[in-house]
Amino acid sequence: METDRKLKIAMLCHPSVGGSGILATTLGYEIAELGHQVTFISTKTPFRLIEHHPNIQFDEVKPVDFPLFQHPDSTLPLISHLLQKTREEEFDIVHAHYAVPNAAAAVIAKKLSSDSRFKIMTTLHGTDVVKLGESPEYSEIIQTSLEGSDVVTCVSDNLKKLTQDKFSGINESQTIHNFYRKRKIEKNRETIRNELGLRDEKLVIHLSNLRKVKRIDLLLETFAKALKQTPMKLLILGGADFSVYQDQVEALGLSDHLIFCRDVVHVQDYIEAADVGIFCSEYESFCLGVLECMAHGVPVVAFDVGGIPEVLDHGSSGYLRPFGETGQLANDLTELIRDNRLRLELSLHAKQRAESLFSPERAVERYLNLYQQLVG
Ligand code: GMT
C-alpha cells in the first residue's frame, strides 16, 4: 500500500461538545502531523480545535438567517460551500463525521457537482443511526447518504451491527474503534483537588454533554445510593446547563456532595484528580468518556449498553451492570471507593487496555489506509 502520498482532506463535523467532534479533531491533528492537509468545515470552530497547526485550516460556514426563515439554515450553505471549495481546490477525501447533515451534505454536493472527484468517507457515531435513523424525517436521507458514501465506518461493532440491520446498499462498512491521544496535564492532581476544595475525599467523575441519553437522573440516583454507604464527592464536567437537575440534586440531598463545572477544556487534569468514573447512559455506541477515564488510569462503573462493553472489560477495568440497575452499580462504586488495592489493580489494567487497544497509532493507520485505498 502506497502511504507516502500526501492527501487533502475536508473534515466535516459538529462543533459542539461531544465525542464525534472530539474524534474528528483529534484525527485531524494526527493526520496533519503526518503531513496531510486538513480543512475542517463547520458552523463554528470545533470546540477541541484549539491549537494552530500549519497543515490545518478551518472554514466557517455561517448559518443563513433570512427574514422569511423561521430558523437559520446551515445545511444548504454547507452544501454550497463544499461545491465552491471543491471547484477551487481538489479534495481527495471528504470525511463526514455524523450522518446528519454532514454525510448528506457531502453526498448532495458531489451529486450537484459535475467535476468533483473527491471520495466520501462517512463515520457514524451513534444517535445519527440509532435515533435519527429511525425518524421519518431523516431515515431515507440517511439511507441515501450511506449508499452515496464510498466507505462507511462505525466507531464500534455494536454500531456497525445496528447500521447494517437498519440500512442496506452500503458500499463497504467497517469498525474503527475510537481512540484517545493523552493530552498534556496543565494542572496536577493536587492543584485541581485544592481548587475543587477537596481534602482526602475520594472523587467520582462524570463527563458528558448531559444529553438525555446520558441519563443523569440515574447517575444521581446511583451516586446517592453509594453515598449512603461511604463518603465521596461527585464531579460532573458538563457541556450544557445543569440547572434542570437541581431539583433532583436537592431531593436526593446531594447539594454538598456534588461539584459541577461547565465547558471545561482541559478535562484530562480533572480525570487525573479523580478516583472512579461513572456513566449511566441508556445507549452509547462507544463512550469516549469511558475511554478517557481508562486512559488516565481511572476505573469506571457503567451500564452494559451499546458498545461500552467493547471498551470496558467487566471486572478488569471497572464494572458493567444491566441498564437501570442503580443499586448494583452503587455497590460497585462503593467497593471501588473503599478498596484502595482493588482500585489500583483496576486502574493499571484500565490504562493498559486503553493504551493497547485504543491507541491513536492503531486507529489513525486504519483511517489512513482507507483514505489511500479510496484514492487508489
Ligand atoms: O451520536 C451522538 O449521540 C453524539 C455523539 C457525540 O458527538 O458526542 O456521541 C456519539 O459519538 C461518540 C464518539 O464516537 C461516542 O463515543 C458516543 O458513545 C456516541 N453517543 C451515543 O451513541 C449516544
Side-chain angles (χ1 to χ4, degrees), residues 14 16-23 98 123-131 155-156 159 178 209 211 213-214 281-289 307-308:
H14 289 286
S16 47
V17 176
S20 61
I22 297 176
L23 198 273
Y98 219 78
T123 294
L124 297 174
H125 282 274
T127 40
D128 42 2
V129 167
V130 177
K131 288 255 188 280
V155 299
S156 65
L159 185 61
N178 282 333
N209 49 23
R211 287 173 47 218
V213 69
K214 307 289 171 183
S281 305
E282 60 191 36
Y283 178 76
E284 289 286 347
S285 63
F286 184 93
C287 202
L288 217 43
I308 292 187

PDB file of all heavy atoms in Angstrom, residues 14 16-23 98 123-131 155-156 159 178 209 211 213-214 281-289 307-308, ligand 1:
ATOM      1  N   HIS A  14     -19.535  18.275  13.706  1.00  0.00           N
ATOM      2  CA  HIS A  14     -20.296  19.211  14.544  1.00  0.00           C
ATOM      3  C   HIS A  14     -19.314  19.930  15.479  1.00  0.00           C
ATOM      4  O   HIS A  14     -18.402  19.302  16.011  1.00  0.00           O
ATOM      5  CB  HIS A  14     -21.358  18.471  15.355  1.00  0.00           C
ATOM      6  CG  HIS A  14     -22.483  17.989  14.505  1.00  0.00           C
ATOM      7  ND1 HIS A  14     -23.429  18.838  13.999  1.00  0.00           N
ATOM      8  CD2 HIS A  14     -22.794  16.757  14.039  1.00  0.00           C
ATOM      9  CE1 HIS A  14     -24.291  18.147  13.261  1.00  0.00           C
ATOM     10  NE2 HIS A  14     -23.927  16.883  13.270  1.00  0.00           N
ATOM     11  N   SER A  16     -19.999  21.344  18.384  1.00  0.00           N
ATOM     12  CA  SER A  16     -20.399  21.374  19.799  1.00  0.00           C
ATOM     13  C   SER A  16     -19.713  20.281  20.620  1.00  0.00           C
ATOM     14  O   SER A  16     -19.159  19.332  20.067  1.00  0.00           O
ATOM     15  CB  SER A  16     -21.918  21.207  19.889  1.00  0.00           C
ATOM     16  OG  SER A  16     -22.301  20.140  19.071  1.00  0.00           O
ATOM     17  N   VAL A  17     -19.804  20.418  21.947  1.00  0.00           N
ATOM     18  CA  VAL A  17     -19.188  19.453  22.862  1.00  0.00           C
ATOM     19  C   VAL A  17     -19.773  18.073  22.604  1.00  0.00           C
ATOM     20  O   VAL A  17     -20.983  17.876  22.693  1.00  0.00           O
ATOM     21  CB  VAL A  17     -19.466  19.846  24.335  1.00  0.00           C
ATOM     22  CG1 VAL A  17     -18.905  18.789  25.289  1.00  0.00           C
ATOM     23  CG2 VAL A  17     -18.883  21.209  24.634  1.00  0.00           C
ATOM     24  N   GLY A  18     -18.943  17.133  22.273  1.00  0.00           N
ATOM     25  CA  GLY A  18     -19.438  15.788  22.006  1.00  0.00           C
ATOM     26  C   GLY A  18     -18.335  14.942  21.412  1.00  0.00           C
ATOM     27  O   GLY A  18     -17.370  15.461  20.834  1.00  0.00           O
ATOM     28  N   GLY A  19     -18.506  13.631  21.558  1.00  0.00           N
ATOM     29  CA  GLY A  19     -17.471  12.690  21.148  1.00  0.00           C
ATOM     30  C   GLY A  19     -17.158  12.741  19.666  1.00  0.00           C
ATOM     31  O   GLY A  19     -15.994  12.567  19.272  1.00  0.00           O
ATOM     32  N   SER A  20     -18.176  12.980  18.816  1.00  0.00           N
ATOM     33  CA  SER A  20     -17.900  12.939  17.372  1.00  0.00           C
ATOM     34  C   SER A  20     -16.979  14.085  16.979  1.00  0.00           C
ATOM     35  O   SER A  20     -16.064  13.910  16.172  1.00  0.00           O
ATOM     36  CB  SER A  20     -19.199  12.964  16.562  1.00  0.00           C
ATOM     37  OG  SER A  20     -19.924  14.138  16.814  1.00  0.00           O
ATOM     38  N   GLY A  21     -17.193  15.263  17.586  1.00  0.00           N
ATOM     39  CA  GLY A  21     -16.319  16.406  17.308  1.00  0.00           C
ATOM     40  C   GLY A  21     -14.918  16.171  17.857  1.00  0.00           C
ATOM     41  O   GLY A  21     -13.922  16.526  17.224  1.00  0.00           O
ATOM     42  N   ILE A  22     -14.843  15.552  19.037  1.00  0.00           N
ATOM     43  CA  ILE A  22     -13.532  15.271  19.637  1.00  0.00           C
ATOM     44  C   ILE A  22     -12.746  14.326  18.724  1.00  0.00           C
ATOM     45  O   ILE A  22     -11.578  14.538  18.409  1.00  0.00           O
ATOM     46  CB  ILE A  22     -13.682  14.627  21.040  1.00  0.00           C
ATOM     47  CG1 ILE A  22     -14.363  15.589  22.003  1.00  0.00           C
ATOM     48  CG2 ILE A  22     -12.320  14.195  21.588  1.00  0.00           C
ATOM     49  CD1 ILE A  22     -14.631  15.010  23.389  1.00  0.00           C
ATOM     50  N   LEU A  23     -13.458  13.269  18.284  1.00  0.00           N
ATOM     51  CA  LEU A  23     -12.788  12.276  17.449  1.00  0.00           C
ATOM     52  C   LEU A  23     -12.310  12.906  16.141  1.00  0.00           C
ATOM     53  O   LEU A  23     -11.167  12.706  15.715  1.00  0.00           O
ATOM     54  CB  LEU A  23     -13.767  11.119  17.201  1.00  0.00           C
ATOM     55  CG  LEU A  23     -13.246   9.782  16.719  1.00  0.00           C
ATOM     56  CD1 LEU A  23     -13.127   9.704  15.222  1.00  0.00           C
ATOM     57  CD2 LEU A  23     -11.895   9.395  17.353  1.00  0.00           C
ATOM     58  N   TYR A  98     -20.703  11.988  11.345  1.00  0.00           N
ATOM     59  CA  TYR A  98     -22.122  12.115  11.676  1.00  0.00           C
ATOM     60  C   TYR A  98     -22.932  12.191  10.373  1.00  0.00           C
ATOM     61  O   TYR A  98     -22.627  12.997   9.486  1.00  0.00           O
ATOM     62  CB  TYR A  98     -22.396  13.361  12.526  1.00  0.00           C
ATOM     63  CG  TYR A  98     -23.415  13.119  13.611  1.00  0.00           C
ATOM     64  CD1 TYR A  98     -23.074  12.456  14.787  1.00  0.00           C
ATOM     65  CD2 TYR A  98     -24.728  13.534  13.456  1.00  0.00           C
ATOM     66  CE1 TYR A  98     -24.007  12.236  15.778  1.00  0.00           C
ATOM     67  CE2 TYR A  98     -25.661  13.310  14.442  1.00  0.00           C
ATOM     68  CZ  TYR A  98     -25.294  12.665  15.608  1.00  0.00           C
ATOM     69  OH  TYR A  98     -26.233  12.438  16.588  1.00  0.00           O
ATOM     70  N   THR A 123     -18.215   8.613   8.763  1.00  0.00           N
ATOM     71  CA  THR A 123     -18.054   7.921  10.046  1.00  0.00           C
ATOM     72  C   THR A 123     -19.306   8.146  10.879  1.00  0.00           C
ATOM     73  O   THR A 123     -19.683   9.293  11.156  1.00  0.00           O
ATOM     74  CB  THR A 123     -16.794   8.433  10.785  1.00  0.00           C
ATOM     75  OG1 THR A 123     -15.644   8.051  10.028  1.00  0.00           O
ATOM     76  CG2 THR A 123     -16.680   7.833  12.185  1.00  0.00           C
ATOM     77  N   LEU A 124     -19.936   7.041  11.218  1.00  0.00           N
ATOM     78  CA  LEU A 124     -21.163   7.122  12.035  1.00  0.00           C
ATOM     79  C   LEU A 124     -20.765   7.066  13.507  1.00  0.00           C
ATOM     80  O   LEU A 124     -19.861   6.321  13.891  1.00  0.00           O
ATOM     81  CB  LEU A 124     -22.093   5.964  11.690  1.00  0.00           C
ATOM     82  CG  LEU A 124     -22.585   5.971  10.241  1.00  0.00           C
ATOM     83  CD1 LEU A 124     -23.383   4.713   9.940  1.00  0.00           C
ATOM     84  CD2 LEU A 124     -23.435   7.214   9.969  1.00  0.00           C
ATOM     85  N   HIS A 125     -21.479   7.839  14.308  1.00  0.00           N
ATOM     86  CA  HIS A 125     -21.056   7.961  15.709  1.00  0.00           C
ATOM     87  C   HIS A 125     -22.060   7.438  16.720  1.00  0.00           C
ATOM     88  O   HIS A 125     -21.700   7.205  17.859  1.00  0.00           O
ATOM     89  CB  HIS A 125     -20.706   9.411  16.024  1.00  0.00           C
ATOM     90  CG  HIS A 125     -19.355   9.790  15.492  1.00  0.00           C
ATOM     91  ND1 HIS A 125     -18.194   9.570  16.182  1.00  0.00           N
ATOM     92  CD2 HIS A 125     -18.992  10.338  14.315  1.00  0.00           C
ATOM     93  CE1 HIS A 125     -17.161   9.979  15.472  1.00  0.00           C
ATOM     94  NE2 HIS A 125     -17.617  10.458  14.325  1.00  0.00           N
ATOM     95  N   GLY A 126     -23.314   7.342  16.374  1.00  0.00           N
ATOM     96  CA  GLY A 126     -24.238   6.827  17.399  1.00  0.00           C
ATOM     97  C   GLY A 126     -25.669   7.194  17.118  1.00  0.00           C
ATOM     98  O   GLY A 126     -26.355   6.534  16.329  1.00  0.00           O
ATOM     99  N   THR A 127     -26.107   8.292  17.722  1.00  0.00           N
ATOM    100  CA  THR A 127     -27.524   8.625  17.574  1.00  0.00           C
ATOM    101  C   THR A 127     -27.875   9.038  16.149  1.00  0.00           C
ATOM    102  O   THR A 127     -29.050   9.111  15.814  1.00  0.00           O
ATOM    103  CB  THR A 127     -27.939   9.727  18.572  1.00  0.00           C
ATOM    104  OG1 THR A 127     -26.895  10.681  18.645  1.00  0.00           O
ATOM    105  CG2 THR A 127     -28.191   9.146  19.947  1.00  0.00           C
ATOM    106  N   ASP A 128     -26.870   9.298  15.308  1.00  0.00           N
ATOM    107  CA  ASP A 128     -27.200   9.570  13.902  1.00  0.00           C
ATOM    108  C   ASP A 128     -27.889   8.353  13.288  1.00  0.00           C
ATOM    109  O   ASP A 128     -28.732   8.482  12.400  1.00  0.00           O
ATOM    110  CB  ASP A 128     -25.974  10.001  13.071  1.00  0.00           C
ATOM    111  CG  ASP A 128     -24.701   9.224  13.341  1.00  0.00           C
ATOM    112  OD1 ASP A 128     -24.728   8.302  14.161  1.00  0.00           O
ATOM    113  OD2 ASP A 128     -23.687   9.552  12.707  1.00  0.00           O
ATOM    114  N   VAL A 129     -27.563   7.160  13.774  1.00  0.00           N
ATOM    115  CA  VAL A 129     -28.200   5.950  13.268  1.00  0.00           C
ATOM    116  C   VAL A 129     -29.293   5.486  14.224  1.00  0.00           C
ATOM    117  O   VAL A 129     -30.425   5.198  13.841  1.00  0.00           O
ATOM    118  CB  VAL A 129     -27.147   4.827  13.105  1.00  0.00           C
ATOM    119  CG1 VAL A 129     -27.804   3.490  12.902  1.00  0.00           C
ATOM    120  CG2 VAL A 129     -26.230   5.158  11.944  1.00  0.00           C
ATOM    121  N   VAL A 130     -28.951   5.470  15.506  1.00  0.00           N
ATOM    122  CA  VAL A 130     -29.853   4.859  16.487  1.00  0.00           C
ATOM    123  C   VAL A 130     -31.122   5.691  16.689  1.00  0.00           C
ATOM    124  O   VAL A 130     -32.210   5.136  16.824  1.00  0.00           O
ATOM    125  CB  VAL A 130     -29.096   4.661  17.826  1.00  0.00           C
ATOM    126  CG1 VAL A 130     -30.002   4.104  18.898  1.00  0.00           C
ATOM    127  CG2 VAL A 130     -27.910   3.745  17.606  1.00  0.00           C
ATOM    128  N   LYS A 131     -30.996   7.004  16.707  1.00  0.00           N
ATOM    129  CA  LYS A 131     -32.199   7.829  16.918  1.00  0.00           C
ATOM    130  C   LYS A 131     -32.687   8.439  15.596  1.00  0.00           C
ATOM    131  O   LYS A 131     -33.798   8.188  15.161  1.00  0.00           O
ATOM    132  CB  LYS A 131     -31.899   8.971  17.907  1.00  0.00           C
ATOM    133  CG  LYS A 131     -31.722   8.523  19.339  1.00  0.00           C
ATOM    134  CD  LYS A 131     -32.953   8.883  20.163  1.00  0.00           C
ATOM    135  CE  LYS A 131     -32.754   8.626  21.639  1.00  0.00           C
ATOM    136  NZ  LYS A 131     -32.899   7.287  22.103  1.00  0.00           N
ATOM    137  N   VAL A 155     -17.966   3.455  14.898  1.00  0.00           N
ATOM    138  CA  VAL A 155     -16.998   3.541  15.996  1.00  0.00           C
ATOM    139  C   VAL A 155     -17.027   2.326  16.928  1.00  0.00           C
ATOM    140  O   VAL A 155     -16.238   2.254  17.867  1.00  0.00           O
ATOM    141  CB  VAL A 155     -17.150   4.856  16.801  1.00  0.00           C
ATOM    142  CG1 VAL A 155     -16.910   6.064  15.917  1.00  0.00           C
ATOM    143  CG2 VAL A 155     -18.524   4.942  17.480  1.00  0.00           C
ATOM    144  N   SER A 156     -17.934   1.385  16.660  1.00  0.00           N
ATOM    145  CA  SER A 156     -17.922   0.123  17.422  1.00  0.00           C
ATOM    146  C   SER A 156     -18.618  -0.949  16.600  1.00  0.00           C
ATOM    147  O   SER A 156     -19.363  -0.649  15.658  1.00  0.00           O
ATOM    148  CB  SER A 156     -18.634   0.288  18.774  1.00  0.00           C
ATOM    149  OG  SER A 156     -20.013   0.566  18.564  1.00  0.00           O
ATOM    150  N   LEU A 159     -22.385  -0.520  16.862  1.00  0.00           N
ATOM    151  CA  LEU A 159     -22.991   0.466  15.959  1.00  0.00           C
ATOM    152  C   LEU A 159     -23.012  -0.065  14.522  1.00  0.00           C
ATOM    153  O   LEU A 159     -23.965   0.168  13.773  1.00  0.00           O
ATOM    154  CB  LEU A 159     -22.222   1.798  16.032  1.00  0.00           C
ATOM    155  CG  LEU A 159     -22.844   2.929  15.222  1.00  0.00           C
ATOM    156  CD1 LEU A 159     -24.247   3.276  15.703  1.00  0.00           C
ATOM    157  CD2 LEU A 159     -21.977   4.186  15.272  1.00  0.00           C
ATOM    158  N   ASN A 178     -12.959   4.096  18.315  1.00  0.00           N
ATOM    159  CA  ASN A 178     -12.423   5.404  18.691  1.00  0.00           C
ATOM    160  C   ASN A 178     -11.079   5.226  19.394  1.00  0.00           C
ATOM    161  O   ASN A 178     -10.762   4.142  19.905  1.00  0.00           O
ATOM    162  CB  ASN A 178     -13.388   6.113  19.640  1.00  0.00           C
ATOM    163  CG  ASN A 178     -14.549   6.711  18.880  1.00  0.00           C
ATOM    164  OD1 ASN A 178     -14.426   7.039  17.704  1.00  0.00           O
ATOM    165  ND2 ASN A 178     -15.680   6.858  19.542  1.00  0.00           N
ATOM    166  N   ASN A 209     -21.925  15.583  27.494  1.00  0.00           N
ATOM    167  CA  ASN A 209     -22.683  16.770  27.073  1.00  0.00           C
ATOM    168  C   ASN A 209     -24.063  16.814  27.745  1.00  0.00           C
ATOM    169  O   ASN A 209     -24.893  17.647  27.388  1.00  0.00           O
ATOM    170  CB  ASN A 209     -22.797  16.825  25.545  1.00  0.00           C
ATOM    171  CG  ASN A 209     -23.263  15.506  24.966  1.00  0.00           C
ATOM    172  OD1 ASN A 209     -23.889  14.703  25.660  1.00  0.00           O
ATOM    173  ND2 ASN A 209     -22.972  15.258  23.714  1.00  0.00           N
ATOM    174  N   ARG A 211     -26.684  15.173  27.492  1.00  0.00           N
ATOM    175  CA  ARG A 211     -27.915  14.931  26.733  1.00  0.00           C
ATOM    176  C   ARG A 211     -28.751  13.872  27.433  1.00  0.00           C
ATOM    177  O   ARG A 211     -28.260  13.117  28.259  1.00  0.00           O
ATOM    178  CB  ARG A 211     -27.571  14.512  25.300  1.00  0.00           C
ATOM    179  CG  ARG A 211     -27.072  15.699  24.481  1.00  0.00           C
ATOM    180  CD  ARG A 211     -26.574  15.269  23.140  1.00  0.00           C
ATOM    181  NE  ARG A 211     -27.503  14.367  22.517  1.00  0.00           N
ATOM    182  CZ  ARG A 211     -27.136  13.309  21.797  1.00  0.00           C
ATOM    183  NH1 ARG A 211     -25.873  13.034  21.607  1.00  0.00           N
ATOM    184  NH2 ARG A 211     -28.039  12.534  21.261  1.00  0.00           N
ATOM    185  N   VAL A 213     -29.839  11.056  26.687  1.00  0.00           N
ATOM    186  CA  VAL A 213     -29.374   9.685  26.580  1.00  0.00           C
ATOM    187  C   VAL A 213     -28.345   9.346  27.675  1.00  0.00           C
ATOM    188  O   VAL A 213     -28.141   8.187  28.029  1.00  0.00           O
ATOM    189  CB  VAL A 213     -28.803   9.454  25.148  1.00  0.00           C
ATOM    190  CG1 VAL A 213     -27.504  10.229  24.949  1.00  0.00           C
ATOM    191  CG2 VAL A 213     -28.641   8.016  24.791  1.00  0.00           C
ATOM    192  N   LYS A 214     -27.733  10.365  28.259  1.00  0.00           N
ATOM    193  CA  LYS A 214     -26.705  10.151  29.301  1.00  0.00           C
ATOM    194  C   LYS A 214     -27.327   9.758  30.635  1.00  0.00           C
ATOM    195  O   LYS A 214     -26.624   9.371  31.560  1.00  0.00           O
ATOM    196  CB  LYS A 214     -25.840  11.411  29.499  1.00  0.00           C
ATOM    197  CG  LYS A 214     -25.215  11.951  28.229  1.00  0.00           C
ATOM    198  CD  LYS A 214     -24.107  11.068  27.706  1.00  0.00           C
ATOM    199  CE  LYS A 214     -23.655  11.501  26.330  1.00  0.00           C
ATOM    200  NZ  LYS A 214     -22.641  10.660  25.737  1.00  0.00           N
ATOM    201  N   SER A 281     -25.492   6.041  30.854  1.00  0.00           N
ATOM    202  CA  SER A 281     -26.227   6.231  29.591  1.00  0.00           C
ATOM    203  C   SER A 281     -27.128   5.041  29.283  1.00  0.00           C
ATOM    204  O   SER A 281     -26.812   3.905  29.630  1.00  0.00           O
ATOM    205  CB  SER A 281     -25.252   6.371  28.426  1.00  0.00           C
ATOM    206  OG  SER A 281     -24.353   7.402  28.675  1.00  0.00           O
ATOM    207  N   GLU A 282     -28.234   5.346  28.575  1.00  0.00           N
ATOM    208  CA  GLU A 282     -29.104   4.242  28.140  1.00  0.00           C
ATOM    209  C   GLU A 282     -28.593   3.659  26.836  1.00  0.00           C
ATOM    210  O   GLU A 282     -28.905   2.535  26.487  1.00  0.00           O
ATOM    211  CB  GLU A 282     -30.551   4.713  28.011  1.00  0.00           C
ATOM    212  CG  GLU A 282     -30.757   5.824  27.014  1.00  0.00           C
ATOM    213  CD  GLU A 282     -32.137   6.451  27.077  1.00  0.00           C
ATOM    214  OE1 GLU A 282     -32.676   6.567  28.190  1.00  0.00           O
ATOM    215  OE2 GLU A 282     -32.647   6.815  25.996  1.00  0.00           O
ATOM    216  N   TYR A 283     -27.822   4.447  26.086  1.00  0.00           N
ATOM    217  CA  TYR A 283     -27.142   3.922  24.904  1.00  0.00           C
ATOM    218  C   TYR A 283     -25.857   4.703  24.686  1.00  0.00           C
ATOM    219  O   TYR A 283     -25.818   5.913  24.901  1.00  0.00           O
ATOM    220  CB  TYR A 283     -28.008   4.007  23.628  1.00  0.00           C
ATOM    221  CG  TYR A 283     -27.235   3.491  22.425  1.00  0.00           C
ATOM    222  CD1 TYR A 283     -27.052   2.130  22.242  1.00  0.00           C
ATOM    223  CD2 TYR A 283     -26.615   4.365  21.538  1.00  0.00           C
ATOM    224  CE1 TYR A 283     -26.268   1.634  21.199  1.00  0.00           C
ATOM    225  CE2 TYR A 283     -25.829   3.882  20.493  1.00  0.00           C
ATOM    226  CZ  TYR A 283     -25.669   2.515  20.329  1.00  0.00           C
ATOM    227  OH  TYR A 283     -24.895   2.037  19.305  1.00  0.00           O
ATOM    228  N   GLU A 284     -24.837   4.022  24.265  1.00  0.00           N
ATOM    229  CA  GLU A 284     -23.598   4.656  23.805  1.00  0.00           C
ATOM    230  C   GLU A 284     -23.056   3.750  22.714  1.00  0.00           C
ATOM    231  O   GLU A 284     -22.892   2.552  22.925  1.00  0.00           O
ATOM    232  CB  GLU A 284     -22.537   4.730  24.922  1.00  0.00           C
ATOM    233  CG  GLU A 284     -22.801   5.701  26.027  1.00  0.00           C
ATOM    234  CD  GLU A 284     -22.599   7.167  25.658  1.00  0.00           C
ATOM    235  OE1 GLU A 284     -22.012   7.451  24.604  1.00  0.00           O
ATOM    236  OE2 GLU A 284     -23.050   8.012  26.437  1.00  0.00           O
ATOM    237  N   SER A 285     -22.753   4.318  21.579  1.00  0.00           N
ATOM    238  CA  SER A 285     -22.119   3.497  20.544  1.00  0.00           C
ATOM    239  C   SER A 285     -20.727   3.087  21.009  1.00  0.00           C
ATOM    240  O   SER A 285     -20.222   2.030  20.652  1.00  0.00           O
ATOM    241  CB  SER A 285     -22.004   4.287  19.252  1.00  0.00           C
ATOM    242  OG  SER A 285     -21.162   5.404  19.464  1.00  0.00           O
ATOM    243  N   PHE A 286     -20.096   3.941  21.813  1.00  0.00           N
ATOM    244  CA  PHE A 286     -18.718   3.703  22.260  1.00  0.00           C
ATOM    245  C   PHE A 286     -18.515   4.271  23.668  1.00  0.00           C
ATOM    246  O   PHE A 286     -18.217   3.576  24.605  1.00  0.00           O
ATOM    247  CB  PHE A 286     -17.743   4.371  21.262  1.00  0.00           C
ATOM    248  CG  PHE A 286     -16.298   4.113  21.556  1.00  0.00           C
ATOM    249  CD1 PHE A 286     -15.622   3.055  20.966  1.00  0.00           C
ATOM    250  CD2 PHE A 286     -15.584   4.949  22.421  1.00  0.00           C
ATOM    251  CE1 PHE A 286     -14.268   2.819  21.246  1.00  0.00           C
ATOM    252  CE2 PHE A 286     -14.245   4.719  22.691  1.00  0.00           C
ATOM    253  CZ  PHE A 286     -13.590   3.659  22.105  1.00  0.00           C
ATOM    254  N   CYS A 287     -18.679   5.558  23.788  1.00  0.00           N
ATOM    255  CA  CYS A 287     -18.492   6.350  25.003  1.00  0.00           C
ATOM    256  C   CYS A 287     -17.030   6.728  25.218  1.00  0.00           C
ATOM    257  O   CYS A 287     -16.284   6.067  25.951  1.00  0.00           O
ATOM    258  CB  CYS A 287     -19.062   5.703  26.270  1.00  0.00           C
ATOM    259  SG  CYS A 287     -19.365   6.969  27.537  1.00  0.00           S
ATOM    260  N   LEU A 288     -16.686   7.787  24.534  1.00  0.00           N
ATOM    261  CA  LEU A 288     -15.323   8.302  24.612  1.00  0.00           C
ATOM    262  C   LEU A 288     -14.943   8.668  26.052  1.00  0.00           C
ATOM    263  O   LEU A 288     -13.785   8.531  26.452  1.00  0.00           O
ATOM    264  CB  LEU A 288     -15.220   9.534  23.698  1.00  0.00           C
ATOM    265  CG  LEU A 288     -13.950   9.771  22.934  1.00  0.00           C
ATOM    266  CD1 LEU A 288     -13.373   8.524  22.293  1.00  0.00           C
ATOM    267  CD2 LEU A 288     -14.165  10.849  21.885  1.00  0.00           C
ATOM    268  N   GLY A 289     -15.919   9.119  26.829  1.00  0.00           N
ATOM    269  CA  GLY A 289     -15.652   9.491  28.222  1.00  0.00           C
ATOM    270  C   GLY A 289     -15.114   8.310  29.027  1.00  0.00           C
ATOM    271  O   GLY A 289     -14.218   8.465  29.872  1.00  0.00           O
ATOM    272  N   GLY A 307     -21.982  -0.107  22.744  1.00  0.00           N
ATOM    273  CA  GLY A 307     -20.587  -0.506  22.517  1.00  0.00           C
ATOM    274  C   GLY A 307     -19.723  -0.392  23.752  1.00  0.00           C
ATOM    275  O   GLY A 307     -18.518  -0.661  23.688  1.00  0.00           O
ATOM    276  N   ILE A 308     -20.307  -0.008  24.896  1.00  0.00           N
ATOM    277  CA  ILE A 308     -19.467   0.173  26.101  1.00  0.00           C
ATOM    278  C   ILE A 308     -18.688  -1.102  26.462  1.00  0.00           C
ATOM    279  O   ILE A 308     -17.497  -1.025  26.757  1.00  0.00           O
ATOM    280  CB  ILE A 308     -20.289   0.723  27.292  1.00  0.00           C
ATOM    281  CG1 ILE A 308     -20.716   2.166  26.999  1.00  0.00           C
ATOM    282  CG2 ILE A 308     -19.478   0.672  28.585  1.00  0.00           C
ATOM    283  CD1 ILE A 308     -21.388   2.895  28.146  1.00  0.00           C
TER     284      ILE A 308
HETATM  285  O1  GMT B   1     -24.358  10.448  18.411  1.00  0.00           O
HETATM  286  C1  GMT B   1     -24.392  11.117  19.436  1.00  0.00           C
HETATM  287  O2  GMT B   1     -25.179  10.944  20.329  1.00  0.00           O
HETATM  288  C2  GMT B   1     -23.434  12.240  19.617  1.00  0.00           C
HETATM  289  C3  GMT B   1     -22.029  11.796  19.604  1.00  0.00           C
HETATM  290  C4  GMT B   1     -21.224  12.974  20.033  1.00  0.00           C
HETATM  291  O3  GMT B   1     -20.922  13.781  19.188  1.00  0.00           O
HETATM  292  O4  GMT B   1     -20.936  13.028  21.238  1.00  0.00           O
HETATM  293  O5  GMT B   1     -21.762  10.732  20.503  1.00  0.00           O
HETATM  294  C5  GMT B   1     -21.525   9.516  19.900  1.00  0.00           C
HETATM  295  O6  GMT B   1     -20.217   9.525  19.355  1.00  0.00           O
HETATM  296  C6  GMT B   1     -19.150   9.397  20.291  1.00  0.00           C
HETATM  297  C7  GMT B   1     -17.837   9.431  19.508  1.00  0.00           C
HETATM  298  O7  GMT B   1     -17.792   8.430  18.557  1.00  0.00           O
HETATM  299  C8  GMT B   1     -19.312   8.106  21.083  1.00  0.00           C
HETATM  300  O8  GMT B   1     -18.247   7.986  21.995  1.00  0.00           O
HETATM  301  C9  GMT B   1     -20.653   8.159  21.833  1.00  0.00           C
HETATM  302  O9  GMT B   1     -20.847   6.935  22.501  1.00  0.00           O
HETATM  303  C10 GMT B   1     -21.777   8.377  20.858  1.00  0.00           C
HETATM  304  N1  GMT B   1     -23.033   8.649  21.603  1.00  0.00           N
HETATM  305  C11 GMT B   1     -24.054   7.822  21.562  1.00  0.00           C
HETATM  306  O10 GMT B   1     -24.030   6.792  20.939  1.00  0.00           O
HETATM  307  C12 GMT B   1     -25.224   8.200  22.380  1.00  0.00           C
END
